[in-house]
Amino acid sequence: MKSVLVLYYSRGGHTARISRAIADHLASQGHQCDMMHISEAKAEGVDWAKYDVVALGACVLYGSYHKSVFEFVAAHQVELSAKASSFFSVNVVARNPEKRVPENNKYLQKFIELSAWKPNDVKVIAGKVDYPAWRWYDRMMIQLIMKITNGPTDPKSVIDYTDWDDVKVYADHLVSLAK
């Protein structure tokens, strides 16, 4: 049995849902798994010694990650680097299979470039379009981006591009990182 911590930043709840799926799958396999939003981890602290593996996931909005993600990894780069760890990027551009390849995903590459923490293991997970749940400004901006990239623009669209079976494969992969 391994102990895994899934840290995440989620804006609309989809990255939290992916993190929960990882935690639930690991628990179903007999592993100990905790999950924490990075704001909770910042406020309460993390007992890093408790975990064999740490995964950190974050969503992309408007081409970048929230500044709190970069602040968190800068503050904890030593702890993250000392552990078996992985970073997973959740973004809608990964709706295209070729963009799920880390080297082809500009958002993941941007994270690696800008982050104080240089994860040895990375994963790209396709996100979700949920126009009805988004604020009008976000909806309009994302529709514009989608129009440019040949994505869905119907304001009633709710499309989950996440490959949930692949999320389970990733969860199993996390356990394999433990030494």
Side-chain angles (χ1 to χ4, degrees):
M1 179 177 100
K2 298 297 179 184
S3 180
V4 180
L5 173 61
V6 180
L7 295 163
Y8 66 94
Y9 173 83
S10 187
R11 184 162 183 253
H14 195 67
T15 303
R17 185 173 167 218
I18 291 168
S19 298
R20 172 59 56 207
I22 292 168
D24 288 348
H25 178 73
L26 290 172
S28 77
Q29 302 298 308
H31 301 287
Q32 165 62 38
C33 189
D34 295 328
M35 60 180 271
M36 298 175 84
H37 191 283
I38 61 171
S39 63
E40 178 187 359
K42 181 180 176 185
E44 297 181 15
V46 174
D47 180 2
W48 298 99
K50 181 179 171 184
Y51 302 102
D52 299 306
V53 180
V54 176
L56 172 64
C59 58
V60 172
L61 184 65
Y62 300 128
S64 191
Y65 303 90
H66 194 267
K67 67 179 182 175
S68 65
V69 176
F70 292 107
E71 291 168 357
F72 185 85
V73 298
H76 299 286
Q77 70 177 354
V78 171
E79 294 90 342
L80 289 164
S81 297
K83 289 268 172 213
S85 59
S86 182
F87 176 75
F88 63 96
S89 172
V90 178
N91 57 77
V92 176
V93 74
R95 70 187 184 279
N96 299 315
E98 69 276 4
K99 299 296 184 184
R100 291 182 204 143
V101 176
E103 296 77 21
N104 295 341
N105 189 284
K106 66 182 177 180
Y107 302 118
L108 176 60
Q109 293 306 314
K110 185 176 183 179
F111 176 83
I112 293 168
E113 177 186 331
L114 298 176
S115 173
W117 170 50
K118 305 301 180 199
N120 291 326
D121 188 81
V122 294
K123 175 71 174 168
V124 179
I125 299 174
K128 179 180 180 180
V129 169
D130 190 353
Y131 287 120
W134 294 335
R135 297 177 299 188
W136 71 269
Y137 179 78
D138 291 335
R139 185 172 51 249
M140 287 181 51
M141 293 303 294
I142 294 170
Q143 281 176 305
L144 177 62
I145 293 166
M146 287 294 184
K147 185 173 183 164
I148 293 167
T149 62
N150 297 317
T153 57
D154 179 349
K156 296 177 185 161
S157 292
V158 177
I159 306 168
D160 184 352
Y161 292 103
T162 305
D163 179 340
W164 293 100
D165 289 332
D166 191 50
V167 170
K168 291 177 184 176
V169 170
Y170 176 63
D172 292 334
H173 169 74
L174 291 172
V175 172
S176 77
L177 297 175
K179 296 175 173 119

